[in-house]
Amino acid sequence: MIPTQFDYKAPATLDEAVALLASDLDGAKVLAGGHSLIPAMKLRLAQPQLLVDIARIKSLSYIREEGDQILIGATTTHYQLESSDLLKQICPLLPECAKSIGDVQVRNKGTIGGSIAHSDPAGDWPAAVLALDADLVLVGPNGERTEKAEDFFVDLLTTNLLPGEILREIRIKKPSGRFGHAYQKVPHPASGFAVVGIAVNLTLNNDGSCKSAGIGVTGVDVKAYRATLVETALAGTSLDDNAIAAAVSHICDGVDPNSDLYASGEYRCHLATVHTRRAIQAAKARVQ
Ligand SMILES: Cc1cc2nc3c(=O)[nH]c(=O)nc-3n(C[C@H](O)[C@H](O)[C@H](O)COP(=O)(O)OP(=O)(O)OC[C@H]3O[C@@H](n4cnc5c(N)ncnc54)[C@H](O)[C@@H]3O)c2cc1C
């Protein structure tokens, strides 16, 4: 199918993009890598009247350190994150997550901001930014605001983005101390999307016990979520097999898991339990 007719603008600055979106709050849509939006338009699930292409705004693509934070511009591609030497050193969860996404074409065009804004229930980035307790910087007709990733994902393909807002930047506190990361994913064999994806950001005390755990889950519910019950159950334990097994038994508590032709809800929760355990063990083994 071909999309319905639409207009296309490629602004050179973020201010211009915000103004264009504000000129048609109901009909205008941000275009970034186009790897979720264009398929939706071809199926006519999305019928924007105006596409505002932000992928050509150079100032929106970067990965840098500032103080104790890592700043990532919204149009940074999956491949840029996968291949960043800086991130491999200071926040290896991000390149590990990036390299699990789709195929080479998808990783070269798709953007982290597009993935987070789209909030696909099987998207990988939402799990990673939840585990890392990221802040999202949003800019719109009423100025700029910051929202916690934890509050951002609301429902299926639905976020707290207000009409006319653009996700501008992802801010992550640089992991410090004795930390270890892991991303475990069961990819759908056709698309590569996560049937289940588990991101773990673990910090240990000097005696090897768990200081804190950040755990983001994708693929299981209608939206990615933070497994706070598992995080709380892990804190203070020695992270031995029994403690991990007891904690991960809560991975689907309060969740009504997705069921489809490929995986029932019950099977998804089984996968989530197994892969959360594996991700915690892998993160623990990587602690420096
Ligand atoms: C074959 C295939 C396989 C894939 N496999 C995977 C996979 O394994 N894992 C995975 O996570 N994803 C996968 N994807 C999706 C891919 O990662 C997309 O790139 C991503 O979901 C959306 O990013 P985008 O930059 O392409 O956004 P677009 O498609 O341009 O936009 C998506 C939505 O977000 C909005 N948007 C985009 N950027 C912003 C912004 N900065 N601020 C506000 N709104 C914005 C758009 O208006 C649109 O509604 C796959 C896609 C394809 C086609």
Side-chain angles (χ1 to χ4, degrees), residues 122-143:
D124 292 288
W125 284 123
V129 294
L130 285 167
L132 292 164
D133 195 23
D135 288 317
L136 307 176
V137 183
L138 315 168
V139 58
N142 298 320

Side-chain angles (χ1 to χ4, degrees), residues 202 239-241 244 276-286:
L202 204 61
L239 289 174
D240 61 21
D241 289 351
I244 294 174
T276 307
R277 176 168 51 74
R278 288 187 188 167
I280 294 167
Q281 284 166 338
K284 183 183 159 196
R286 290 174 183 167

